[in-house]
Amino acid sequence: MATEGEKGQVKLLGATLSPFVVRVRIALALKGIDYEFIQESMHPKSELLVKSNPVHKKIPVLIHNGKPVCESMIIVQYIEEGWGNKAPNLMPEDPYDRAIARFWAAFVDDKLFPCLRGVFTGQGEQLQKAVEDSVTNFLLIEEALRTNHCFAGKAYFGGDQIGLIDIALGGLSAFIKGLEKATDSVLIDPEKMPLLSAWMDRFFKSDGVKEVMPDVTKQVEFISTRRASMISPPTSN
Amino acid sequence: MEGCGEDGQVKLLGVIHSPFVVRVRIALALKGIHYEFIEEEVLNNKSELLLQSNPVHKKIPVLIHNGKPVCESMIIVQYIEEAWGNKAFNFMPKDPYDRAIARFWAAFIDDKLTPSIWGVFNGVGEEQQKAVEESVANLLLLEEALSGKAYFGGDEIGLVDIALGGLLVGVQTIERVTGSVLIDTLKMPLLSTWAHKFCKAEEVKEVLTDPAKLFELLSEIRANLTSPPAGN
């Protein structure tokens, strides 16, 4: 992939299976921005990662003309603003609609994701509780899809096109499906959450998404392997 | 203050001593926006208005602008910046990269610093000591981020100043109540100077929590935490 373009040099430090990295890749794909993808192993963390994200030492990191941007949703907003003249716009124009978009993106990160992490690491009763909490939060999103005038009746949270919330939640799609299969749970029940279910199917098939969304089988494999190592950690003294 | 006029109808649901509410009040003061402050009973009797305006989290602050609610303090601050974009002054930089850096540190304050500060207040013994160490480490990162500037926003108050500034009286009070040192003048000279300057800024000093009242409130809560009532 070309590394230079009209807007300079863009690199993305990440891992293909990370839902946070997927979010950024979707935003870059939607804007048609060329970039160099640098696979980060995380074990050990590369010098480039530690230098570019000294505070958190986490992926994704977007490096634009040598300057690093960290935290997936901050990167997505940066892409929107840094390439503001490039269609499509990922954020609405109206300040109130922008506040709503930020609210639900924050909800996904602050409320939903911790529960999903609980499903990822949980066993037995802990797993059950994490599943229930995740479902409660998904139901809130389903209700927003049904009743909020910004989203109701539209193809995406962003309206006719993918927007900030779609990226925030949709970036997690393969991870969510992977969790369901790996833990034999139902997180997004098509009967209880018809709108969310339909939205996710539509999202998976969308341009800009289908090219970068990880293969669910690989996601299941990754999650299952990690879960197995959590139950029986390597023996050592 | 009546919240009607050229700014539309602006109401703020909150409590005086909440650092998150203070953030919003600072932003409103900086933009010179008139609003009606509606004091909310947080713990026991959440009002109909609160439950209706913030059904997802049921938390304050909530800004209600022309009947439409905005929730989450830093989202409200960004909303105020954008909805009154033409009103001086602006607390977000113009450059997209600088905006990303501002958002990064605002998120850091919410995701890392605030939990560590709460840990100092709520913790005892070793747990508390660990929270103090974490808080100091986090504040040192902010000291570094401030580098040579008067404010995080440059020459004037910006997003990060509001994010941290809202917590300032809370942090200072927690230091007094728990006998901890968090913003160490020697280790954090820039942050100490910043704190001093921030508290005196024209638009800010009116809306900061009264330290004496907060000390009273937090001392009481801390006393209950550390010596639970005798009983079975």
Side-chain angles (χ1 to χ4, degrees):
Chain A
M1 251 190 268
T3 54
E4 300 245 11
E6 55 175 42
K7 272 290 208 153
Q9 194 196 54
V10 185
K11 303 186 190 203
L12 177 63
L13 210 52
T16 45
L17 294 179
S18 157
F20 303 106
V21 173
V22 170
R23 285 170 166 177
V24 176
R25 299 192 85 176
I26 292 170
L28 289 164
L30 288 170
K31 289 280 195 186
I33 296 165
D34 288 323
Y35 61 98
E36 181 191 348
F37 185 74
I38 303 172
Q39 180 83 10
E40 171 65 41
S41 72
M42 292 303 279
H43 307 286
K45 297 190 185 196
S46 74
E47 224 184 281
L48 180 59
L49 175 63
V50 173
K51 211 176 79 170
S52 320
N53 190 358
V55 174
H56 300 299
K57 303 177 182 61
K58 285 182 170 175
I59 46 147
V61 182
L62 188 83
I63 307 175
H64 185 202
N65 292 331
K67 294 176 5 176
V69 186
C70 309
E71 300 289 280
S72 61
M73 293 316 295
I74 292 177
I75 299 172
V76 170
Q77 288 186 81
Y78 173 74
I79 290 167
E80 166 71 348
E81 295 176 355
W83 284 266
N85 296 325
K86 259 202 171 207
N89 286 112
L90 308 174
M91 285 286 272
E93 291 265 350
D94 177 72
Y96 187 74
D97 296 342
R98 291 162 75 86
I100 297 297
R102 289 182 179 127
F103 176 88
W104 286 105
F107 178 86
V108 171
D109 275 346
D110 301 339
K111 296 288 170 194
L112 178 65
F113 191 78
C115 300
L116 296 177
R117 195 190 298 119
V119 175
F120 181 47
T121 59
Q123 299 293 335
E125 260 184 52
Q126 251 182 17
L127 170 61
Q128 197 38 49
K129 175 140 201 320
V131 169
E132 281 164 16
D133 290 344
S134 302
V135 167
T136 303
N137 287 318
F138 278 125
L139 282 169
L140 283 166
I141 300 174
E142 172 78 13
E143 196 181 324
L145 267 173
R146 201 165 42 86
T147 58
N148 192 314
H149 77 278
C150 290
F151 325 132
K154 312 241 171 73
Y156 300 102
F157 290 92
D160 297 323
Q161 290 176 327
I162 288 173
L164 195 82
I165 307 171
D166 301 279
I167 295 173
L169 182 59
L172 312 182
S173 300
F175 182 64
I176 292 166
K177 288 204 186 259
L179 281 176
E180 285 181 317
K181 292 192 154 71
T183 63
D184 200 25
S185 324
V186 178
L187 298 173
I188 300 184
D189 182 338
E191 276 179 46
K192 293 191 188 148
M193 306 172 199
L195 298 173
L196 200 51
S197 235
W199 166 85
M200 190 167 275
D201 287 341
R202 187 180 309 125
F203 188 79
F204 257 108
K205 300 190 175 86
S206 306
D207 289 330
V209 174
K210 54 187 197 275
E211 300 87 344
V212 302
M213 189 66 77
D215 182 43
V216 176
T217 318
K218 292 211 170 101
Q219 194 85 78
V220 177
E221 209 177 285
F222 171 77
I223 294 171
S224 302
T225 311
R226 288 291 301 272
R227 281 178 59 77
S229 74
M230 284 180 230
I231 310 172
S232 30
T235 51
S236 59
N237 47 345
Chain B
M1 244 188 281
E2 258 321 290
C4 250
E6 57 170 40
D7 297 327
Q9 194 198 53
V10 185
K11 301 185 190 200
L12 176 63
L13 222 50
V15 296
I16 305 268
H17 60 260
S18 157
F20 305 107
V21 172
V22 170
R23 285 171 169 176
V24 176
R25 298 192 82 181
I26 293 170
L28 290 165
L30 288 169
K31 291 279 193 188
I33 294 162
H34 293 302
Y35 60 99
E36 182 191 348
F37 185 73
I38 302 173
E39 183 96 32
E40 178 64 38
E41 271 267 357
V42 226
L43 289 176
N44 298 314
N45 247 337
K46 297 194 182 193
S47 70
E48 243 340 285
L49 181 58
L50 174 60
L51 296 175
Q52 217 186 60
S53 320
N54 191 358
V56 173
H57 301 300
K58 306 177 179 60
K59 285 182 171 176
I60 46 105
V62 181
L63 188 83
I64 309 176
H65 185 201
N66 293 331
K68 292 171 16 171
V70 186
C71 310
E72 300 290 280
S73 62
M74 292 317 293
I75 293 177
I76 299 172
V77 171
Q78 287 185 82
Y79 172 75
I80 290 168
E81 167 73 345
E82 293 177 359
W84 284 274
N86 296 327
K87 261 202 170 204
F89 55 97
N90 294 106
F91 18 93
M92 280 293 269
K94 291 227 152 28
D95 178 73
Y97 187 75
D98 296 338
R99 290 163 75 87
I101 297 299
R103 287 181 179 128
F104 176 87
W105 287 111
F108 175 83
I109 288 163
D110 273 346
D111 299 339
K112 298 285 173 196
L113 180 67
T114 310
S116 61
I117 306 276
W118 288 171
V120 174
F121 182 66
N122 289 318
V124 283
E126 257 184 59
E127 233 181 54
Q128 187 193 48
Q129 193 40 46
K130 187 161 184 298
V132 170
E133 284 163 14
E134 255 177 57
S135 301
V136 168
N138 289 331
L139 287 163
L140 281 169
L141 286 167
L142 286 164
E143 168 83 7
E144 210 182 305
L146 194 47
S147 52
K149 301 177 290 200
Y151 293 106
F152 289 93
D155 295 324
E156 286 177 335
I157 289 173
L159 191 82
V160 181
D161 302 280
I162 296 173
L164 186 58
L167 308 181
L168 204 47
V169 174
V171 172
Q172 292 164 340
T173 310
I174 288 172
E175 285 180 310
R176 288 172 59 203
V177 169
T178 62
S180 323
V181 179
L182 301 175
I183 304 182
D184 184 328
T185 342
L186 288 175
K187 290 187 192 160
M188 303 166 199
L190 300 176
L191 210 52
S192 300
T193 308
W194 169 87
H196 193 73
K197 189 186 306 118
F198 187 84
C199 290
K200 292 199 153 57
E202 205 52 54
E203 303 82 356
V204 169
K205 59 184 199 260
E206 310 293 329
V207 300
L208 288 184
T209 311
D210 179 350
K213 290 206 173 115
L214 189 62
F215 181 78
E216 215 179 284
L217 176 68
L218 291 188
S219 299
E220 201 183 309
I221 300 175
R222 177 82 188 158
N224 286 333
L225 280 173
T226 50
S227 25
N232 52 340

